Amino acid sequence: MFGSLGIAAVIAIAEDGPFWKSFRNIGLPGWLFVAVSALGMVFLINSLKETTVAHVAVIYATIPFVAAVLGWFAMGERSTAGAILASIAALIGVVIMVGVGAEGSLFGDLLAFGMTLCMAVLMIIVRRAPDISVMPAACLSALVSSLICWPLGEPLAVSAQNLLLIALFGILVSAVGLALFTLGAKRLPAIETALIGSLDAPLAPLWIWLVFGEIPSASTLIGGSIVFAAVVVHVITGTQRKAKERRLLQQKGTS
């Protein structure tokens, strides 16, 4: 609910005129976005309770493969050789982190994969419908996910300290994080978005270690480093390739 309110505030600031007008024409892709995003949020929050943060993060790092397959089926979008190699390297890192370590649980890992699948589908929806009203759809999805979970817990019994944490989680993840993610997904191929997103794998255990003192296992550190290196190298080489292509186009235009 805090996430929904946060996104509504962003819409109110960014839109000219009454902010509710942006909710009128989200269309079928927008409502599909609402449903998939709400389901993904339910998976995410429960996976964090059932398995370790490191496992959630590294399972999410498999999203390049999921997004690439969905992108090929839905849009005929082929991946570059560099992106495929980077994805394979990231998968190796994930296997080391998840397969070698004894952390986590199978049920929590399955929930994390469900969240990963939902996020990959969101990438395809945004790519297929670039004119989708992303922020209103994200606002509604946050509200829908809260309504789904409300009867399953005791939301009015939360302490003041936890209420503050919940507010920060909703605002930072939904109003800020989801907005940046969906806006960025409009401008990149699905596998590119997924590879950048997979940086969550090595970074999330780092934040948990800094804040809570939860020390990742050796397999988590090794696998996370591989994922991080694969993404960084891919982003750098991709940027260099695009710059080279632009120079070639400029030279052809000049000639």
Side-chain angles (χ1 to χ4, degrees), residues 32 36 63 66-67 70 116-126:
L32 184 59
V36 175
I63 196 173
V66 182
L70 292 179
T116 301
L117 179 60
C118 288
M119 295 303 293
V121 172
L122 288 183
M123 293 178 191
I124 303 303
I125 293 173
V126 174

Side-chain angles (χ1 to χ4, degrees), residues 95-237:
V95 170
I96 292 174
M97 293 176 76
V98 178
V100 177
E103 303 167 331
S105 70
L106 178 60
F107 179 61
D109 291 348
L110 289 175
L111 289 173
F113 180 75
M115 177 270 295
T116 301
L117 179 60
C118 288
M119 295 303 293
V121 172
L122 288 183
M123 293 178 191
I124 303 303
I125 293 173
V126 174
R127 290 285 292 171
R128 284 292 299 268
D131 296 330
I132 188 176
S133 299
V134 173
M135 295 302 290
C139 179
L140 291 173
S141 71
L143 180 61
V144 168
S145 64
S146 67
L147 295 178
I148 291 173
C149 294
W150 185 282
L152 305 179
E154 298 180 27
L156 299 181
V158 65
S159 65
Q161 180 181 1
N162 284 341
L163 186 64
L164 175 61
L165 295 175
I166 290 170
L168 290 174
F169 180 86
I171 293 172
L172 293 177
V173 173
S174 297
V176 179
L178 184 58
L180 293 175
F181 173 82
T182 50
L183 292 173
K186 285 186 175 182
R187 294 164 173 79
L188 293 172
I191 193 169
E192 301 276 349
T193 305
L195 280 167
I196 295 173
S198 65
L199 286 174
D200 184 53
L203 292 179
L206 174 63
W207 307 142
I208 296 300
W209 172 63
L210 292 174
V211 177
F212 298 105
E214 181 180 299
I215 302 176
S217 64
S219 61
T220 297
L221 294 174
I222 295 171
S225 299
I226 294 173
V227 174
F228 184 82
V231 175
V232 170
V233 170
H234 173 72
V235 170
I236 293 174
T237 56

